[in-house]
Amino acid sequence: MPLPRLRRTGSTLVNVYRLLAAGALAGILLAGMAMPALGMLGLTAKSATDDFNGLPDALTSSPLTQSSRIYDANGGLIATVYDRNRTVVPGDRIAPVMRKALVDIEDNRFYRHGAVDLKSVLRALDRNTANGSVVQGASTLTQQYVKNVFVEEAGNDPKAVQQAQRQTLDRKIRELRYAIELEKTLTKDEILTDYLNITYFGEQAYGVEAAAERYFGVHAADLSLPQAALLAGLVRSPSSYDPVANPKLARQRRDIVLRKMAQYGAITTTQARQAAAEPVKLDLNPPRQGCITAQQGAGFFCDYIRRTVLGDPAFGRTAAARKALWHRGGLQIRTTLDPRAQQAVEQSVTSHVYTTDEAAAATTLVQPGTGRILAMAQSRDYGTGAHETGLNLNVGTAMGGGLGFPTGSTFKPVVAAAALEDGIRPDRKYPSPYSMPWPDMSDCAGHGYTDGGQQVHNDSPSLVGPFAMPEAMAKSVNTYFAQLEADTGLCKVAAMAGRLGIARQADGNPLQVVPSLTLGTNDLTPLDMASAYAAFAAHGTYCTPVAVTSVTGPDGKEIAVPRTDCRQAMSQGTADAVSAMLKGVVEDGTGKPAGLSGRDSAGKTGTTDAGKQVWFVGYTSGLSGATVVSDPASPQDLDGQSIGGAVIGQAFGGTLAGPIWRDAMEGAL
């Protein structure tokens, strides 16, 4: 209800009443000076008092949002990521001149009053009454800090921010209540430090540390007098006094701060005059954040880390909890990325396949026996510009990747492992003609498959048997492995794939358990294949891939991280037998161009129908890697395409993907 007008007198009560009539200042004195008298002012004042008394005593707020840092295995910074560019620093890491500048321009009596400064209130009241509008505020630094907490809690929601800043009686009541309690629980120095860490200084800089780095390229502890005065002047209106957009106004505001500091004795008049004579000298450091800033092509791995935090229950039971953790930031995330391996992979994929090529190459390296992802790169740059992509070709859709790629003959070692585990010996021979009908077989549900007139054939009419398993593996004989799959059983092959981490395709759908399974018709990813082959290198032990080794929260406490799950996927005898066959592939078979110099290695080539995808997957005792080359947008025959500056006559896994894998592995090792 509207308040009746009173004539102007010198009485305190009338001043209080006028204050309530001035909308922006309403509620400031509801507790600090005049609670008993408010009952005389009618229903509105009584309601305000009830609202005040009904509020909780303590101001509850979440930790300040900060930037998080992602590090490689050697402690090198991969990228800084944040929702808000802020680094919280303690009071002793803020220059004393910065603290003085802020107090003198915003609340020079800060250390002499409580939550409310009655002298400032009355001074503001007189000015506002004389002007007929609100031209001067009277909020103390403590009250301003409380308002900033409300704004911080609103996050990036424009409506919530507007609500937190609204000039209403109930908001001012809340602000005052919490300011009073803060003054009881914190020292003035603590309140000032919190204020300097929370407030916005413009140009995406939240808190004094980020502002010092943004405008001057220094830490908050090293701010000079002119620099501190400029930052203190920004607090009232960061956009109006922005030294980048409005350098003249920014300097004028800075000089006002300097005069105030001299007036209140923080500095001498001579110091103020000398500082004001200096031009505004900026050393701008635009905020560079996010995975796009990662070096050595690690942007895709960085994004994988982000999605791990947002998706893994280890970081919170619910999606909302994980999102809140990421949003608050302040995390120190240490990862498995090996900088040497990453550099080698990035150099290999980008030198063999150009960013501008229609085809793209992707390679992932993992560590056998631990599941650690050591490197992850692709020939397309991470980003949104021309010839850039945010699609991580090394992983499936759930982790920011695409639909995967048919793996071709790189799936045959899985069939061989299932057969060996089923008791079939490596010397098992099949006639293996160039072409033959598909053998009859059944899936796990008992659904039978007959040839239906379909033929399975080898890559060349001259490739005919009989063959035993090692030679068939080296020469990648399709008709041999079709018969081996039938004798082993589709369901047992699918079970082996599941034990090697391949239970689903890249898009999340279950593996298609059909006769063409042995030919690699399911869409998988380099991470899938590198992890599966790592089990052969580790004598049968499969470990789920892992990318995070530790996370420290903003409070310095360790946060639980997902751990790898290592299990025996097959017997050591089976794994070693497969390795012996895959060693033959790189020594005398289709993978010979991928063989490493002076180091034992094993691997398998893969070329899909019409040459739309080529693969090489292989390993040493300490490193497993997978490389694929394909057009991720519109797969087409790689034959005749210009890839890496050369026109490809006929694309094969050994000759196109193999050298990429070889150079990546040799550089990493």
Side-chain angles (χ1 to χ4, degrees):
M1 61 186 292
L3 295 174
R5 295 192 177 190
L6 295 183
R7 60 185 179 85
R8 185 175 182 182
T9 73
S11 72
T12 300
L13 179 58
V14 173
N15 280 328
V16 172
Y17 190 75
R18 284 181 179 162
L19 178 62
L20 289 173
L25 297 177
I28 288 182
L29 299 183
L30 292 178
M33 56 173 284
M35 270 303 177
L38 284 174
M40 301 164 57
L41 299 179
L43 184 59
T44 299
K46 181 181 185 301
S47 175
T49 307
D50 292 342
D51 289 345
F52 183 95
N53 291 328
L55 288 170
D57 289 340
L59 175 65
T60 57
S61 63
S62 302
L64 292 180
T65 54
Q66 301 184 63
S67 56
S68 294
R69 289 173 171 79
I70 302 174
Y71 300 95
D72 63 32
N74 290 352
L77 182 65
I78 296 174
T80 299
V81 294
Y82 53 75
D83 279 352
R84 289 189 174 177
N85 182 20
R86 175 189 284 119
T87 300
V88 175
V89 292
D92 59 5
R93 286 171 53 191
I94 301 174
V97 71
M98 180 70 231
R99 302 171 71 88
K100 293 176 182 178
L102 183 69
V103 169
D104 285 348
I105 192 62
E106 289 295 318
D107 184 3
N108 71 287
R109 288 170 40 81
F110 175 64
Y111 284 96
R112 300 195 298 275
H113 61 64
V116 177
D117 183 4
L118 178 58
K119 184 176 180 180
S120 295
V121 168
L122 296 177
R123 182 172 60 247
L125 179 62
D126 282 340
R127 285 200 62 190
N128 295 336
T129 303
N131 283 273
S133 62
V134 178
V135 296
Q136 179 176 334
S139 293
T140 63
L141 274 180
T142 306
Q143 290 174 275
Q144 291 181 40
Y145 167 71
V146 172
K147 182 175 72 173
N148 276 317
V149 170
F150 296 158
V151 173
E152 178 74 14
E153 290 293 299
N156 297 321
D157 183 347
K159 290 184 178 179
V161 171
Q162 185 179 21
Q163 183 79 356
Q165 294 176 320
R166 67 194 189 281
Q167 292 292 335
T168 59
L169 180 61
D170 66 310
R171 203 271 296 171
K172 298 298 290 186
I173 291 172
R174 293 178 65 221
E175 177 185 295
L176 179 60
R177 172 73 179 203
Y178 296 133
I180 292 171
E181 294 303 320
L182 278 176
E183 291 272 355
K184 295 178 182 177
T185 58
L186 299 179
T187 67
K188 288 288 190 177
D189 284 344
E190 289 172 336
I191 294 171
L192 180 57
T193 297
D194 289 347
Y195 182 98
L196 284 164
N197 275 309
I198 197 174
T199 198
Y200 181 55
F201 288 90
E203 295 286 332
Q204 301 181 46
Y206 290 83
V208 66
E209 176 72 6
E213 293 177 352
R214 171 70 180 98
Y215 293 111
F216 306 115
V218 302
H219 293 295
D222 302 320
L223 287 166
S224 67
L225 172 58
Q227 292 169 341
L230 187 139
L231 293 185
L234 288 175
V235 170
R236 176 173 293 183
S237 180
S239 58
S240 298
Y241 302 120
D242 185 342
V244 179
N246 304 309
K248 185 176 180 180
L249 284 178
R251 181 169 184 172
Q252 291 174 355
R253 179 66 175 166
R254 179 202 68 176
D255 294 348
I256 291 174
V257 176
L258 291 169
R259 289 196 295 271
K260 289 289 186 182
M261 294 179 73
Q263 176 184 341
Y264 299 127
I267 59 176
T268 66
T269 303
T270 300
Q271 288 175 315
R273 185 169 58 249
Q274 291 174 342
E278 293 187 21
V280 174
K281 299 175 183 177
L282 301 179
D283 181 8
L284 295 174
N285 294 274
R288 287 184 55 78
Q289 67 92 19
C291 293
I292 200 169
T293 66
Q295 301 298 308
Q296 300 296 345
F300 298 100
F301 179 81
C302 171
D303 185 70
Y304 184 86
I305 296 298
R306 181 181 70 87
R307 293 176 185 274
T308 297
V309 175
L310 291 175
D312 197 298
F315 295 104
R317 289 185 177 181
T318 66
R322 296 188 293 271
K323 184 177 180 181
L325 175 68
W326 184 262
H327 170 75
R328 287 195 301 271
L331 306 175
Q332 306 295 312
I333 305 172
R334 289 164 180 81
T335 73
T336 59
L337 192 76
D338 182 301
R340 177 177 175 176
Q342 180 64 27
Q343 182 180 10
V345 172
E346 171 70 6
Q347 183 175 352
S348 182
V349 295
T350 55
S351 62
H352 285 279
V353 181
Y354 295 161
T355 299
T356 54
D357 292 341
E358 290 187 8
T363 298
T364 292
L365 303 183
V366 302
Q367 187 177 60
T370 67
R372 291 187 169 204
I373 302 172
L374 303 183
M376 180 182 287
Q378 61 194 54
S379 57
R380 300 273 173 87
D381 292 333
Y382 183 82
T384 58
H387 309 297
E388 295 179 339
T389 181
L391 200 67
N392 188 346
L393 303 180
N394 283 287
V395 299
T397 53
M399 296 302 290
L403 300 177
F405 307 93
T407 60
S409 294
T410 60
F411 196 83
K412 287 174 180 172
V414 179
V415 179
L420 294 171
E421 286 288 280
D422 196 43
I424 298 176
R425 293 173 55 85
D427 59 3
R428 171 73 65 90
K429 288 187 177 181
Y430 294 107
S432 310
Y434 164 67
S435 182
M436 60 175 282
W438 278 97
D440 293 343
M441 57 187 86
S442 301
D443 63 16
C444 298
H447 175 74
Y449 294 95
T450 57
D451 63 67
Q454 297 293 314
Q455 298 271 314
V456 55
H457 58 81
N458 298 327
D459 289 338
S460 169
S462 63
L463 190 59
V464 295
F467 296 110
M469 200 182 302
E471 188 178 6
M473 184 74 78
K475 295 181 178 180
S476 200
V477 183
N478 291 339
T479 55
Y480 179 93
F481 277 90
Q483 295 171 85
L484 183 65
E485 178 184 53
D487 282 356
T488 304
L490 271 177
C491 192
K492 291 178 181 177
V493 173
M496 175 57 68
R499 293 199 294 274
L500 293 173
I502 306 173
R504 294 186 175 275
Q505 299 187 76
D507 63 1
N509 288 319
L511 207 66
Q512 291 186 331
V513 184
V514 295
S516 61
L517 180 64
T518 189
L519 302 183
T521 53
N522 281 276
D523 295 324
L524 303 176
T525 70
L527 179 58
D528 292 332
M529 298 306 293
S531 299
Y533 273 48
F536 301 133
H539 307 294
T541 299
Y542 170 79
C543 296
T544 55
V546 65
V548 178
T549 57
S550 70
V551 176
T552 304
D555 56 1
K557 295 181 180 179
E558 291 285 325
I559 297 174
V561 300
R563 301 296 181 185
T564 186
D565 176 20
C566 293
R567 56 183 181 268
Q568 199 69 26
M570 66 193 79
S571 69
Q572 180 175 337
T574 292
D576 292 348
V578 172
S579 290
M581 287 187 273
L582 295 182
K583 185 178 179 182
V585 172
V586 298
E587 289 181 345
D588 301 304
T590 58
K592 196 169 184 178
L596 302 180
S597 302
R599 189 186 298 269
D600 286 340
S601 61
K604 184 68 185 75
T605 58
T607 305
T608 62
D609 285 346
K612 293 180 179 180
Q613 292 88 20
V614 295
W615 286 80
F616 189 85
V617 188
Y619 53 91
T620 65
S621 60
L623 192 61
S624 176
T627 295
V628 64
V629 180
S630 180
D631 182 345
S634 179
Q636 54 188 303
D637 194 339
L638 296 171
D639 295 352
Q641 288 194 39
S642 176
I643 299 178
V647 176
I648 304 300
Q650 192 169 7
F652 292 108
T655 56
L656 182 53
I660 300 173
W661 177 90
R662 178 197 64 216
D663 291 352
M665 291 286 286
E666 288 188 339
L669 291 167

